[in-house]
Amino acid sequence: MAAQMMKTALHHNNVSAQPHILHPSHAHHLFQAHAKSLNALIALLALLLLTIIIWKILRLRLHKLPPGPRGWPVVGCLFQFKRFFTSELQDLVKKYGPIITLQIGFTPFIIITDAQIAHEAFVEKGSVFASRPTPPSLALFSSDFRNISSSVYGHVWRALRKNLVSGIISSSRASNHFRNVREQVVQDLVKRFSDAAAAAVAQNGGTVEVRPIIRYGIYNLLLSLCFGKQLEESVVLEVAQTLKKILLRSRSRMDDFIPWFRFIPWMQSNEEHRQLRQQQLNVVLPLIQEAKKFHEDGKLRTGSYIDSLLEIDLQGEKLSDEHLVTLCSELLNGGTDTTVTTLEWAVANIIIQPQIQAEIVKEIERVVGKRAVTEEDIHKLPYLEAVVMETLRRHPPGYYTLPHAVTEPCKLRGYDIPLNARVLVSVSSISNDPRIWANPSEFRPDRFLNLDLDITGSKKITMIPFGAGRRICPGLGLAMLHLNFILARLMQSFEWSTSVPGETVDLTGTPEFTMVMKTPLRALIKTR
């Protein structure tokens, strides 16, 4: 009996040890079953995608959005977007009116080109239009949208903005603590132009590229304001190079507007953003850590931006190191490119019209004499201020305001503005509107000499190079001081011209972070 049971067990073990061979007909049926499951899954996903698209389209059509060009399925007007940064915008305005919808994926962009409509949105309904969109791709560089420029409208934004304004931008603190710093930095800027001109005598026809020298000077100035001391040239250059790279590459991606693009591997650039963020931390964080040590020892310069940030409580918590990097970088980038761009455009127009340069110099000699212009002299130089204002009107640094978002669905001129809309004002359209400005294409500083203009647009919008309403640039006052002071010293120190008599300066613009000169300005400069 036992022997028989052992034979039976051995027989079963031998059978189970043999490989299992699937009959061809069974394999065919199994393959068909898998294929049917896969087809069913694909069909289900396609149906789900189609349902989402139809639902999105129907939801959009339930809103009475402002008119605009018809786009392609799914992507909308994505491939027409560049038209809104060219002269073609006015053709679209003639066709659709002063408020236009540009559909990008399922995100409506509301473009405002009229001053009165802009005032209604940003000033009269300021609290409703005071928020910001939050595209996922930009969360990394904004510490999850907890900086001044990209925070949604609320407690965090108010606290950070209040700290910036009271910390370093209010005229009393900025003047008292950093007047000498600004004087030293501007004097260094003048010397750099002088040295560059001397070095260029034997080459380039004696001409100097203006933008890089101004850019270094502004970064040097803002780094001093941020960290309370002047930094080594190598550090200034490293910070400037790193933050410029981030500024140009950290933009919204297509998957911010068409969410399912996030599942396409080649559409993703998260790794590049992480690498850029790490570069930013590597460059800026050591400056913050050094400042923290000085702060603990009571040696940090009072009135610097980092000094105010180290004291602030944000919802009961001190700011983390990464958050401090974000806020310091925001000050540096936000205050540099707009100022550099404006100064380059100003010098370009002054070279084109030598009589403007002569009038500036004449005014400085009459008011100031032979000594160097100081900050206190600026408001005694109305023609110089008019040149700066005309530059901001004719060549606003930003072609559009930064995107606004509404805090609740609302109406604007009878049209629906949904929560997910991005609202932008064409700054250039307003500042070159012939209904507001006579001969707007002409560069005429004298138009500002007897003009009572509120550049904030609070009463009436005629030009808004710094935005308007609750989201107006908090650094407006400081920016105007820097623009006037630096331009005055450059005009007082040098005679500016082109290298070839009769040569024209190319005033064609191209969009980067700001609207810059497509052909960078090269100037022949001679010490006065």
Side-chain angles (χ1 to χ4, degrees), residues 175-193:
S175 296
N176 293 339
H177 294 292
F178 288 99
R179 181 177 298 152
N180 292 336
V181 172
R182 275 193 293 274
E183 174 60 38
Q184 292 169 12
V185 170
V186 173
Q187 186 59 41
D188 176 74
L189 177 63
V190 170
K191 184 177 184 303
R192 285 176 180 274
F193 269 113

Side-chain angles (χ1 to χ4, degrees), residues 94-115:
K94 291 176 183 177
K95 183 175 181 180
Y96 298 108
I99 177 170
I100 303 170
T101 298
L102 184 70
Q103 197 71 39
I104 307 296
F106 298 114
T107 302
F109 280 67
I110 312 297
I111 311 294
I112 299 172
T113 63
D114 178 81

Side-chain angles (χ1 to χ4, degrees), residues 67-116:
R70 295 181 63 86
W72 294 5
V74 181
V75 298
C77 299
L78 181 65
F79 301 108
Q80 303 173 26
F81 195 70
K82 287 186 177 180
R83 296 176 63 190
F84 282 72
F85 289 87
T86 68
S87 58
E88 291 185 54
L89 173 61
Q90 297 310 313
D91 295 332
L92 295 171
V93 171
K94 291 176 183 177
K95 183 175 181 180
Y96 298 108
I99 177 170
I100 303 170
T101 298
L102 184 70
Q103 197 71 39
I104 307 296
F106 298 114
T107 302
F109 280 67
I110 312 297
I111 311 294
I112 299 172
T113 63
D114 178 81
Q116 292 183 354

Side-chain angles (χ1 to χ4, degrees), residues 381-451:
L381 303 170
Y383 188 78
L384 173 79
E385 291 185 304
V387 171
V388 171
M389 292 294 288
E390 178 69 343
T391 305
L392 290 168
R393 183 199 68 81
R394 188 70 186 91
H395 307 282
Y399 205 83
Y400 288 97
T401 59
L402 290 176
H404 285 236
V406 292
T407 57
E408 60 186 39
C410 68
K411 293 275 189 181
L412 183 64
R413 292 297 168 103
Y415 296 112
D416 292 318
I417 309 296
L419 280 173
N420 70 322
R422 300 189 181 192
V423 183
L424 303 91
V425 170
S426 173
V427 178
S428 179
S429 295
I430 292 174
S431 63
N432 289 280
D433 188 340
R435 296 172 300 175
I436 301 174
W437 303 98
N439 303 311
S441 61
E442 296 180 9
F443 190 87
R444 286 174 32 200
D446 56 290
R447 71 171 86 234
F448 285 95
L449 290 178
N450 298 306
L451 184 63

Side-chain angles (χ1 to χ4, degrees), residues 203-393:
Q203 52 188 309
N204 301 326
T207 60
V208 173
E209 189 171 349
V210 173
R211 192 185 305 171
I213 300 176
I214 294 180
R215 182 174 177 78
Y216 175 86
I218 300 300
Y219 248 107
N220 191 14
L221 175 56
L222 290 176
L223 279 165
S224 301
L225 292 174
C226 188
F227 296 106
K229 67 172 187 175
Q230 286 188 262
L231 303 174
E232 297 292 331
E233 180 175 351
S234 59
V235 176
V236 176
L237 291 172
E238 185 180 25
V239 173
Q241 182 180 17
T242 301
L243 295 189
K244 179 69 172 180
K245 186 190 305 181
I246 291 171
L247 192 66
L248 294 178
R249 296 187 184 179
S250 59
R251 297 178 175 179
S252 294
R253 300 196 311 254
M254 283 173 39
D255 56 341
D256 290 327
F257 316 119
I258 308 172
W260 47 82
F261 276 17
R262 295 170 196 163
F263 302 103
I264 303 176
W266 60 268
M267 293 292 293
Q268 297 178 0
S269 58
N270 291 334
E271 183 57 34
E272 181 187 14
H273 278 197
R274 281 192 288 268
Q275 291 175 2
L276 286 172
R277 176 61 170 176
Q278 190 58 53
Q279 291 177 32
Q280 183 184 24
L281 294 173
N282 293 342
V283 169
V284 180
L285 190 54
L287 302 177
I288 291 173
Q289 291 171 337
E290 181 185 44
K292 289 175 76 172
K293 186 176 185 306
F294 284 143
H295 182 73
E296 292 169 359
D297 296 340
K299 298 178 180 179
L300 185 62
R301 186 165 189 160
T302 304
S304 62
Y305 188 40
I306 188 65
D307 180 51
S308 71
L309 291 175
L310 293 174
E311 293 292 338
I312 189 175
D313 281 326
L314 195 62
Q315 295 178 320
E317 297 181 4
K318 292 292 184 182
L319 302 179
S320 68
D321 283 349
E322 289 203 8
H323 200 174
L324 289 170
V325 168
T326 295
L327 293 169
C328 290
S329 300
E330 178 184 43
L331 173 73
L332 297 170
N333 269 339
T336 298
D337 279 76
T338 51
T339 306
V340 173
T341 299
T342 303
L343 286 170
E344 186 181 23
W345 282 116
V347 173
N349 280 279
I350 287 169
I351 289 174
I352 291 173
Q353 300 188 56
Q355 71 276 15
I356 294 177
Q357 183 171 186
E359 187 63 31
I360 293 174
V361 174
K362 180 180 176 181
E363 182 179 64
I364 291 174
E365 289 178 346
R366 185 178 67 253
V367 174
V368 178
K370 297 298 181 181
R371 65 174 174 80
V373 174
T374 65
E375 293 180 12
E376 289 76 10
D377 297 321
I378 296 302
H379 294 303
K380 304 172 188 175
L381 303 170
Y383 188 78
L384 173 79
E385 291 185 304
V387 171
V388 171
M389 292 294 288
E390 178 69 343
T391 305
L392 290 168
R393 183 199 68 81

Side-chain angles (χ1 to χ4, degrees), residues 478-489:
L478 197 61
M480 292 301 291
L481 172 62
H482 291 166
L483 287 170
N484 283 283
F485 185 34
I486 293 173
L487 186 63
R489 291 292 286 271

